Amino acid sequence: MSVGPIDLDDTDRAILRALSLDGTLSAGELGRRFGLSQPAAWRRVRRLEEAGVLAGRRVEVDREQLGFGVTVFLGVKLATKGRVSLEDFERAVTAIPEVQVVQHVLGLFDYRLRVVARDLADFERVLRRRVMTLPGVGSVEANVLLTEERRPGPLGHG
Amino acid sequence: MSVGPIDLDDTDRAILRALSLDGTLSAGELGRRFGLSQPAAWRRVRRLEEAGVLAGRRVEVDREQLGFGVTVFLGVKLATKGRVSLEDFERAVTAIPEVQVVQHVLGLFDYRLRVVARDLADFERVLRRRVMTLPGVGSVEANVLLTEERRPGPLGHG
DNA sequence: CTTGAAAAGAACTGCCT
DNA sequence: AGGCAGTTCTTTTCAAG
């Protein structure tokens, strides 16, 4: 797999930035934008994929369009946190379909969950019947998502 | 755009689930998996795109491969939260390149940020010189990401 | 819904500077 | 590294059942 440190030049970073916004861009289009031929752009993309920098391509599903208008972030603090209880918790939380993301974290909480629901009443059902009954749960804190903005993020020095 | 409620059948949901895992799947491959011809599968994908359910295609960039080994979630509570201070905060936070996601939330915190850094020393620099100096910041709480698992999430009833 | 075909475009290869 | 030319595959659309 990864054989060592990959160093990117400005063109690689421009390609990554463009593909982060629109994953459908073809090698030809990338080449047109950044002054490369189609094969040259294609070889750069393949190199980024082989290096593991481009880790995969995903579609973004708009949950609002599917009737899931509520997104809540839960911070979970476990009551007991031995090795076994972490595994129990992770296995159980993975079985809740409304949970989109499970993050094991260090700090005030032990886990952070991204949960989607149809509305607040639906969320309350998930919280009471699914989350609060998870094995080892101590305290749970919630934040309801209002708006979210994703940014390109850093790609290294230029 | 969206003209009303879109109802999906089991095949649509199967397609969405498959594309969430691998956005490169062709219409032909989707048809093979779910018992459709290539044009039939292609028409379903196009319908999902036109309905806005398939909101876009993105590449996933592995920040670890680029030397950003540390991801931290920050919960930010504002000291003053008038309309102006929200806008000031959002404009200023957007200018920090290390900030990947800005979420305006309701609850214990006002904003949640996803921040990436090269290491903890680098994160401390971002925290002290960039985040703590944002306009209107009250208290900041941090959780360091250990592991993260994304799941398909709910797509509606069957 | 299906199959088949055709046109366009994207991906990929080899060779050359 | 990059470009050019060519081949192959997929996508996209259409015709017809």
Side-chain angles (χ1 to χ4, degrees), chain A residues 35-134:
Chain A
L36 296 174
S37 66
Q38 186 272 338
W42 182 83
R43 279 192 286 262
R44 279 180 183 263
V45 171
R46 189 186 53 173
R47 176 172 161 270
L48 292 170
E49 283 168 345
E50 286 172 351
V53 176
L54 280 175
R57 296 169 186 261
R58 305 283 154 75
V59 297
E60 196 186 323
V61 176
D62 186 342
R63 250 83 195 183
E64 295 232 6
Q65 297 285 337
L66 296 179
F68 293 90
V70 172
T71 299
V72 182
F73 300 101
L74 296 180
V76 177
K77 200 166 178 49
L78 296 186
T80 56
K81 16 185 158 166
R83 179 178 56 84
V84 177
S85 79
L86 293 185
E87 285 169 7
D88 283 352
F89 179 86
E90 291 187 10
R91 199 173 335 103
V93 83
T94 297
I96 308 177
E98 287 85 357
V99 172
Q100 266 191 314
V101 182
V102 182
Q103 291 157 342
H104 187 193
V105 293
L106 216 55
L108 223 61
F109 298 109
D110 297 306
Y111 286 94
R112 298 190 22 80
L113 309 178
R114 183 184 179 120
V115 176
V116 296
R118 301 194 165 278
D119 47 44
L120 283 179
D122 186 36
F123 170 71
E124 195 196 0
R125 175 189 61 82
V126 175
L127 181 65
R128 294 175 77 140
R129 304 179 61 157
R130 301 294 236 138
V131 176
M132 299 306 283
T133 60
L134 286 168

Side-chain angles (χ1 to χ4, degrees), chain B residues 95-109:
Chain B
I96 307 177
E98 288 85 358
V99 173
Q100 266 192 314
V101 183
V102 181
Q103 291 157 341
H104 188 193
V105 293
L106 216 53
L108 223 62
F109 299 110

